[in-house]
Amino acid sequence: MSYKILSVWLCFSLCSIAFAQNSFQIKGFVRNANTLQPIEGANIVGEGLFSISSVAGAFTIKNVDEGTYSFTISHISYAPKTVTVIVESEIEIVQVYLNESSTVLEEVEVHGKSKYRKVKETPIVSHTVSKEFLDKNRENSLMQTLSKIPGVSTINIGSGQSKPVIRGLGFNRVAVIQNGIKHEAQQWGNDHGLEIDQYGIENIQIIKGPASLVYGSDAIAGVVDIQPNKIPLQNSFNGEVNILGESNNNLLGISTSIEARKEKWFYRGRLTYRDYGDYKVPTDKINYENYIFELQDNNLRNTAGKEANASFSVGYVSDYIKSETFFSTVNAKNGFFANAHGLEVRTSSIDYDRSNKDIDLPFHKVNHFKIMNNTSVIMGKHTFYFDLGYQKNHRKEHSEPVPHGYMPKPPNSKEREFNKNTYSLNMRDAFKPNKHHDVVAGINVEYQDNNIGGWGFLIPEYNRFTIGVFAYDQFEIHPNLHFLAGIRYDYGLVDTKSYYDWFLSTTNNNDGSKSYIYLQRAQNKTLDFGNISASAGLSYIQKNTTYKLNIGKSFRMPLANELASDGVNYHMYRFEKGNLDLDPEESYQLDIDIDHTTKQFSVGISPFVNFFENYIYLNPTSNYYETLQIYEYTQAKIFRFGGEVRASTTLFKNLQLDASAEYVYSKQTSGAKKNFTLPFSPPLSGLFSANYQFKDFLFLAKPKLIADFRITAAQNEIVPPEEKTEGYQILNMSFLTKMAIFKNNQPIEIRVKLNNVFNTKYYNHTSFYRLIDVPEAGRNLSISLTIPLINN
């Protein structure tokens, strides 16, 4: 609870609005007397009148007649205070500050723990991302927004898509969880982004390191856990509109939401639309395969896109039951830089420079639909959690029909189609057999079926079934020393379907003759996998310093593309071939985290050591298929180490300085690429931030200026065909403030951000377009507004 006290700001201001002829509203805010932070959950009690303060410290009491009223404002962590309000035609603004109560704090220490305290007691290395962080650092995609966190980076696919990388590992090695359900799409693809609407997300927990114990396969490198939003307060109705505009790619985005609750029932909904054109890069030409592509007005042609998303949920909450059913659909159409899709564009008749808003070939369209239900039931000492989900990921990839090898000219532009259905069920029981133990036991079940279409073949149709059981116990040795240990067993089946080319190919017979056959690319094959995961760790809290140590074993089942791909990937201009003899990946990792935090400053370090027994990767060979280099999936032993350091301090009460750095070293200790690093390995990088809080000025409230300076070293450790990438320095600036435009309403939040201030030409080593020497986006000015519609 001490964390909440240090981080809360509470302002109490009372005003009245005429309601009918002699009826008014009392609106107010509650503030911490020491930190000036808002206090959530304060009770405002008067004779026949009652309200509870929101996250922003706000409350509203409706239908109040003229007169004099006394209210007692109380909170479990503060000494109560009584104020008197005179309700008349003009109500004076009254500010009330609550003082922290040390007596109450001792009582809270015995009977409850804050979320911050629980995180410190858990040995797992994690990072909590707040709504404030997301709003302040919002970029074009969720993962680009999170890339400011040490140890988290992205594989960018143009300006509007990206996929997560944690400590140098990405794709299906990072599990993305939304509302308890693992997000299942086509994560294996280099050019497949994350189909999640980043608006409306309030809280994310990022776990660094093996997390298969709880989340199963695909969490071998870490987890991005998008947690459910807080349940609305009783008898509340709120809404907001988010508007975003950007200069670099002429983006215009709008997202609007509402949420409401009566006594036990509540609902919430959101609509989002984004439209953007080709983004600009600080160069006028691209050199790919010794061919020079001229760019018109610095536009990276055919990188425009559109996105339309909708979500709605309805829920019920009581003393013992909480349940919410969530519906969402994410729809996107994105173009790919034309010259990234092979070299056919040299002879194409498509006018890619006709308009920077056109979405020409090649492009993809994707729809991700979800239905999820989260239910918790309290029964005595036990709390049962049930997560049920259905997902449908439908992706269509279109490109200009061009014949290759024996393939005739395709009949249409639909090169590939993936239609993936996923059914998920998670159940767990959390209970305390005594005051020293927190035990959780559960089961995860998932079934997938993936169908394919189009004239291009890369992966076969397949079915996938996994089931896992786990249990872990967090034992309190004494209040400042905690031990966590757990074990899990998983079993899975992958059933691939046969596939034959739709055209005839020529083969040479032993007698010298030739035959024309439909080549078989995939066969009917059923493979099963089983594996054990385990984890053990310690957490020790010594005053302001927290020490964590965790060792874990995780695993990952091979994917269908790793097992059974056998076709041309024109997006990467290569032939990819799977391997049915692959074993599950097994990873062993040691994590250490030391954090020292005081009111004035904080420092921390999070090193790790990691060993893969049989890491799966796509190895470029010296063989060719119809002029295309053949890449084969294989396995090797991998040794990795690295970590993150961080520091933060506050100067002059208004100036906050933050610094962080991250580094990963990888080496293949066996296999065809022995002594090489891993593909897409991020280089050493550091981020320095300065945050200055100005005093209120005119109509600007809480104006804040932020400067972020990122220094990235050169990446000379590569795996061919990767190229070495030079280091770079980038400066980003932001200005945030609030404006009270409408009297008696919440203020409008404004953010002005200038990325790549000096229009620096630089290359991101983990970007999808790095292989064809495309630099990152140039200078970009963005302006966003958050307008509260109703808050009561």
Side-chain angles (χ1 to χ4, degrees):
M1 184 60 68
S2 58
Y3 172 72
K4 290 187 176 178
I5 296 171
L6 292 174
S7 64
V8 186
W9 172 3
L10 194 42
C11 158
F12 182 121
S13 57
L14 297 171
C15 54
S16 72
I17 302 175
F19 185 88
Q21 187 171 359
N22 296 309
S23 185
F24 302 87
Q25 288 186 357
I26 297 176
K27 292 189 176 181
F29 298 84
V30 188
R31 174 179 297 181
N32 184 304
N34 295 324
T35 66
L36 303 183
Q37 295 293 322
I39 299 177
E40 178 187 5
N43 294 312
I44 297 89
V45 181
E47 185 175 352
L49 301 173
F50 175 76
S51 185
I52 300 176
S53 62
S54 68
V55 175
F59 68 89
T60 301
I61 301 175
K62 294 183 176 181
N63 302 336
V64 181
D65 296 329
E66 291 188 14
T68 301
Y69 298 85
S70 292
F71 293 92
T72 299
I73 296 89
S74 62
H75 189 279
I76 192 171
S77 300
Y78 299 84
K81 191 168 188 178
T82 300
V83 298
T84 300
V85 180
I86 300 176
V87 177
E88 54 187 6
S89 58
E90 293 185 3
I91 300 178
E92 293 184 2
I93 297 177
V94 180
Q95 296 194 9
V96 174
Y97 301 89
L98 298 186
N99 293 308
E100 301 171 6
S101 172
S102 58
T103 302
V104 175
L105 282 176
E106 292 175 358
E107 188 175 330
V108 172
E109 196 67 33
V110 174
H111 295 287
K113 298 177 181 178
S114 69
K115 185 176 181 180
Y116 176 67
R117 174 72 184 190
K118 291 180 179 179
V119 170
K120 292 176 68 174
E121 292 178 352
T122 303
I124 297 173
V125 179
S126 64
H127 185 100
T128 299
V129 183
S130 65
K131 184 177 186 299
E132 179 185 5
F133 176 93
L134 295 170
D135 291 340
K136 185 172 66 175
N137 298 282
R138 195 177 305 281
E139 298 290 348
N140 275 329
S141 68
L142 175 62
M143 289 315 307
Q144 289 172 339
T145 300
L146 297 179
S147 63
K148 191 175 179 180
I149 297 169
V152 179
S153 56
T154 64
I155 296 177
N156 295 329
I157 307 113
S159 63
Q161 305 175 77
S162 60
K163 57 202 318 164
V165 175
I166 296 179
R167 290 173 165 174
L169 299 178
F171 300 95
N172 281 70
R173 294 180 180 90
V174 174
V176 178
I177 311 296
Q178 186 176 29
N179 297 346
I181 298 296
K182 190 191 305 180
H183 182 80
E184 291 289 358
Q186 306 290 341
Q187 301 100 303
W188 55 269
N190 296 63
D191 48 358
H192 300 164
L194 193 63
E195 306 92 348
I196 291 179
D197 186 356
Q198 66 171 321
Y199 288 97
I201 297 174
E202 295 181 357
N203 189 33
I204 300 175
Q205 184 182 27
I206 296 177
I207 299 175
K208 302 174 184 177
S212 293
L213 176 64
V214 177
Y215 300 97
S217 182
D218 297 353
I220 197 168
V223 175
V224 178
D225 187 358
I226 304 170
Q227 300 178 346
N229 293 345
K230 292 181 179 179
I231 295 176
L233 298 175
Q234 288 185 352
N235 302 310
S236 63
F237 186 89
N238 303 292
E240 67 176 23
V241 175
N242 306 97
I243 301 174
L244 173 65
E246 297 191 351
S247 64
N248 182 283
N249 58 353
N250 298 323
L251 179 144
L252 178 61
I254 182 169
S255 182
T256 181
S257 69
I258 59 170
E259 66 174 26
R261 176 182 170 187
K262 290 299 185 181
E263 296 298 324
K264 297 183 178 180
W265 289 94
F266 64 92
Y267 69 88
R268 38 191 165 203
R270 178 171 290 273
L271 295 173
T272 299
Y273 180 77
R274 288 157 43 94
D275 184 295
Y276 54 91
D278 301 340
Y279 70 94
K280 290 181 171 59
V281 292
T283 186
D284 56 5
K285 61 184 65 176
I286 301 295
N287 186 338
Y288 176 42
E289 296 286 339
N290 296 319
Y291 186 85
I292 305 297
F293 297 100
E294 302 288 342
L295 301 182
Q296 180 173 305
D297 298 326
N298 301 102
N299 288 317
L300 196 65
R301 54 196 181 210
N302 202 47
T303 55
K306 296 180 180 181
E307 184 178 326
N309 311 321
S311 63
F312 178 79
S313 70
V314 60
Y316 174 86
V317 59
S318 68
D319 293 339
Y320 302 101
I321 298 176
K322 182 171 66 175
S323 181
E324 184 173 11
T325 302
F326 181 85
F327 304 84
S328 73
T329 178
V330 174
N331 300 273
K333 180 179 180 181
N334 307 96
F336 292 110
F337 174 46
N339 308 112
H341 204 80
L343 297 174
E344 292 85 358
V345 70
R346 290 181 294 181
T347 59
S348 174
S349 60
I350 298 175
D351 184 3
Y352 290 100
D353 295 320
R354 181 177 63 243
S355 169
N356 72 336
K357 283 284 189 177
D358 286 348
I359 304 177
D360 291 313
L361 298 171
F363 68 84
H364 75 181
K365 297 176 68 175
V366 61
N367 168 247
H368 195 98
F369 175 73
K370 287 183 179 180
I371 302 176
M372 298 178 289
N373 175 266
N374 307 123
T375 298
S376 62
V377 181
I378 299 175
M379 299 180 65
K381 294 183 178 181
H382 295 260
T383 302
F384 297 94
Y385 297 90
F386 304 91
D387 302 319
L388 185 65
Y390 166 73
Q391 302 175 68
K392 183 180 182 67
N393 184 273
H394 190 192
R395 177 182 297 272
K396 296 179 181 179
E397 300 177 355
H398 292 258
S399 64
E400 195 167 3
V402 177
H404 288 275
Y406 293 107
M407 178 194 297
K409 184 175 181 178
N412 52 50
S413 66
K414 189 170 72 174
E415 178 186 352
R416 297 192 305 214
E417 180 179 11
F418 305 102
N419 197 341
K420 184 177 182 179
N421 297 279
T422 303
Y423 307 84
S424 305
L425 173 63
N426 303 324
M427 297 182 293
R428 67 187 188 276
D429 175 19
F431 61 97
K432 290 179 67 69
N434 55 55
K435 65 179 183 179
H436 296 293
H437 291 269
D438 286 288
V439 179
V440 178
I443 182 172
N444 309 116
V445 182
E446 185 179 87
Y447 175 77
Q448 300 175 12
D449 72 87
N450 192 74
N451 301 305
I452 63 172
W455 46 263
F457 174 79
L458 185 56
I459 68 170
E461 295 183 348
Y462 69 87
N463 299 325
R464 185 175 188 253
F465 172 79
T466 58
I467 182 171
V469 292
F470 67 92
Y472 64 88
D473 177 19
Q474 182 164 316
F475 172 57
E476 184 179 283
I477 301 173
H478 65 70
N480 291 327
L481 180 62
H482 293 79
F483 175 73
L484 184 146
I487 191 168
R488 177 188 180 102
Y489 177 75
D490 283 87
Y491 177 77
L493 288 172
V494 178
D495 183 17
T496 62
K497 309 299 181 182
S498 65
Y499 180 88
Y500 291 84
D501 283 343
W502 56 274
F503 55 88
L504 292 170
S505 295
T506 301
T507 61
N508 296 319
N509 299 321
N510 293 332
D511 59 2
S513 62
K514 292 185 178 181
S515 299
Y516 299 91
I517 62 172
Y518 295 96
L519 290 179
Q520 184 175 11
R521 298 294 183 184
Q523 56 182 298
N524 290 318
K525 190 74 174 180
T526 300
L527 300 172
D528 65 301
F529 305 93
N531 213 285
I532 294 177
S533 303
S535 179
L538 281 170
S539 173
Y540 177 61
I541 303 172
Q542 185 182 38
K543 294 183 179 180
N544 295 321
T545 306
T546 303
Y547 304 89
K548 294 184 178 184
L549 183 147
N550 189 77
I551 185 169
K553 174 188 180 292
S554 287
F555 92 105
R556 183 180 71 86
M557 285 177 52
L559 306 175
N561 62 302
E562 296 166 334
L563 294 167
S565 60
D566 189 23
V568 177
N569 186 348
Y570 294 110
H571 291 222
M572 305 299 292
Y573 212 59
R574 65 193 183 199
F575 190 96
E576 298 180 5
K577 192 169 182 60
N579 183 353
L580 291 172
D581 296 325
L582 295 176
D583 295 320
E585 286 184 343
E586 294 184 346
S587 171
Y588 302 86
Q589 183 158 320
L590 171 67
D591 283 281
I592 298 174
D593 184 80
I594 303 174
D595 180 86
H596 179 77
T597 300
T598 67
K599 291 183 178 180
Q600 290 75 32
F601 70 94
S602 68
V603 294
I605 182 171
S606 301
F608 73 92
V609 178
N610 176 223
F611 175 73
F612 275 88
E613 182 69 30
N614 40 22
Y615 184 90
I616 301 173
Y617 69 101
L618 195 57
N619 176 45
T621 71
S622 58
N623 300 320
Y624 284 79
Y625 175 87
E626 297 177 358
T627 73
L628 296 176
Q629 188 176 8
I630 296 177
Y631 285 60
E632 295 180 344
Y633 282 100
T634 186
Q635 294 185 290
K637 294 182 179 181
I638 305 293
F639 174 73
R640 305 169 64 246
F641 71 85
E644 304 84 42
V645 294
R646 57 195 180 274
S648 177
T649 186
T650 300
L651 303 177
F652 319 120
K653 294 185 179 180
N654 293 329
L655 177 61
Q656 179 177 329
L657 302 177
D658 299 279
S660 63
E662 55 193 272
Y663 175 72
V664 175
Y665 172 85
S666 303
K667 183 179 180 180
Q668 301 185 39
T669 59
S670 69
K673 290 295 184 292
K674 184 178 180 180
N675 295 325
F676 279 90
T677 185
L678 292 178
F680 288 106
S681 291
L684 171 66
S685 180
L687 179 65
F688 302 89
S689 298
N691 184 326
Y692 188 82
Q693 178 76 63
F694 294 92
K695 295 181 180 179
D696 292 355
F697 178 73
L698 298 177
F699 51 84
L700 301 180
K702 301 179 183 178
K704 182 183 299 183
L705 183 65
I706 303 172
D708 294 330
F709 185 63
R710 181 173 290 278
I711 302 177
T712 302
Q715 181 55 284
N716 297 317
E717 298 296 325
I718 60 171
V719 183
E722 291 181 344
E723 296 183 7
K724 295 180 180 180
T725 303
E726 295 181 353
Y728 60 87
Q729 300 84 43
I730 293 295
L731 176 65
N732 299 326
M733 302 287 293
S734 299
F735 178 76
L736 292 80
T737 189
K738 297 181 180 181
M739 289 197 307
I741 301 296
F742 305 105
K743 187 178 180 180
N744 303 325
N745 280 332
Q746 291 284 342
I748 294 175
E749 297 181 8
I750 302 173
R751 188 196 72 167
V752 180
K753 188 168 187 179
L754 185 63
N755 281 353
N756 196 355
V757 173
F758 300 111
N759 200 35
T760 304
K761 180 182 178 181
Y762 71 100
Y763 296 91
N764 181 352
H765 189 74
T766 62
S767 171
F768 171 68
Y769 289 144
R770 174 64 187 98
L771 292 176
I772 56 172
D773 287 331
V774 174
E776 294 302 295
R779 183 185 297 114
N780 180 43
L781 175 66
S782 66
I783 301 176
S784 66
L785 305 176
T786 300
I787 306 170
L789 297 177
I790 302 173
N791 286 276
N792 61 25

